[in-house]
Amino acid sequence: MSDLTATLRTLHHGRHPDDPLVLPGPWDAGSARALADAGFPALATPSAGVAASLGVADGEVPADEMFAAVARIARAVPVPVSADLEDGYGLPAAEFVERLLETGAVGCNLEDTDRRTGRLVDAREQADRLAAVRAAAGDALFVNARIDSHLRGAPEEDALERARLYAEAGADCVFPILAPVEWLAGIGEAAGLPVNALCRGTEFTPAELGRLGATRITFGPGLYKRTMAALGPIAEELRGA
């Protein structure tokens, strides 16, 4: 286990509910440097933000391009980087782990939606996938297991079962993306692991999500979108100069 992996794992534990781990999402080397320079202890790339920066839709970035983008980000900063790698691109577990660690990233999101069909993967099948990734990585990789139950219209009971299975498979954290905040505490209890919540900046602050049961806060492509929105007025100013 590298020092960066150990740091990332440690950052998820012993936190006060008012102080969840806030991991902003860089989309390229420049944004990663800016966020690290601002004092964030770790970063988490969003697949949608990286895709937008490459000019394609989320889910359409080829694996080679995503790994290359993650490598540029990881090389640019001295802090741990976790990478959103969708469903793993269909790669065998050992190859997936090898390619990810070669980028310099020390963590990953793996989702349980099949990119090809848009449907939830069977919970036990996904647990087996996570167990294979854990076996290939040992303790060298922090695995954030995304739970897409609510996103795909499945009930809370499905999310709780997935949380239990993914924890047993060796996940370090679970990520019930877009789940109602009322689910967070129960999912954390079911998994016995830190819980990642997505902050969209409209209803709840990171501290509020922490008090509701989240240990880790990420933002998806939110920072990329805010940055592009801020660029608009600058472009208008330059065009009128």
Side-chain angles (χ1 to χ4, degrees):
M1 178 170 60
S2 73
D3 290 344
L4 289 176
T5 312
T7 296
L8 182 61
R9 193 166 276 123
T10 299
L11 285 168
H12 286 76
H13 294 278
R15 307 197 71 88
H16 190 275
D18 286 321
D19 182 35
L21 176 61
V22 176
L23 297 182
W27 54 90
D28 61 12
S31 59
R33 288 194 195 100
L35 293 167
D37 288 347
F40 288 98
L43 305 173
T45 71
S47 66
V50 172
S53 75
L54 296 173
V56 299
D58 189 23
E60 294 185 2
V61 180
D64 288 349
E65 289 194 41
M66 184 62 77
F67 283 118
V70 171
R72 290 191 293 270
I73 289 167
R75 286 197 303 264
V77 295
V79 300
V81 171
S82 181
D84 181 354
L85 295 170
E86 304 181 64
D87 66 352
Y89 306 107
L91 296 171
E95 181 181 352
F96 172 80
V97 169
E98 180 181 11
R99 294 188 66 177
L100 174 56
L101 293 177
E102 284 176 351
T103 70
V106 295
C108 69
N109 286 3
L110 280 174
E111 64 188 53
D112 52 9
T113 292
D114 186 319
R115 295 170 73 235
R116 297 164 298 177
T117 65
R119 296 178 180 176
L120 278 172
V121 176
D122 175 80
R124 292 189 180 278
E125 181 182 340
Q126 181 68 5
D128 289 344
R129 167 72 167 164
L130 292 168
V133 169
R134 173 56 66 213
D139 60 3
L141 188 64
F142 185 97
V143 177
N144 187 29
R146 207 176 92 175
I147 297 172
D148 287 3
S149 301
H150 183 70
L151 184 67
R152 301 301 170 197
E156 183 178 7
E157 290 74 16
D158 182 78
L160 294 171
E161 177 66 7
R162 288 174 185 273
R164 285 189 286 268
L165 288 172
Y166 299 172
E168 291 170 1
D172 294 285
C173 184
V174 290
F175 181 15
I177 189 167
L178 296 176
V181 294
E182 294 81 7
W183 292 17
L184 296 178
I187 287 173
E189 183 177 349
L193 295 174
V195 176
N196 186 164
L198 181 68
C199 181
R200 293 184 287 179
T202 54
E203 296 181 85
F204 301 98
T205 66
E208 288 169 338
L209 289 170
R211 290 192 288 272
L212 289 165
T215 310
R216 159 175 164 157
I217 310 297
T218 52
F219 303 87
L223 295 182
Y224 173 84
K225 291 179 178 179
R226 289 178 64 182
T227 301
M228 293 303 104
L231 181 59
I234 297 172
E236 289 295 325
E237 178 185 338
L238 295 175
R239 197 166 68 90

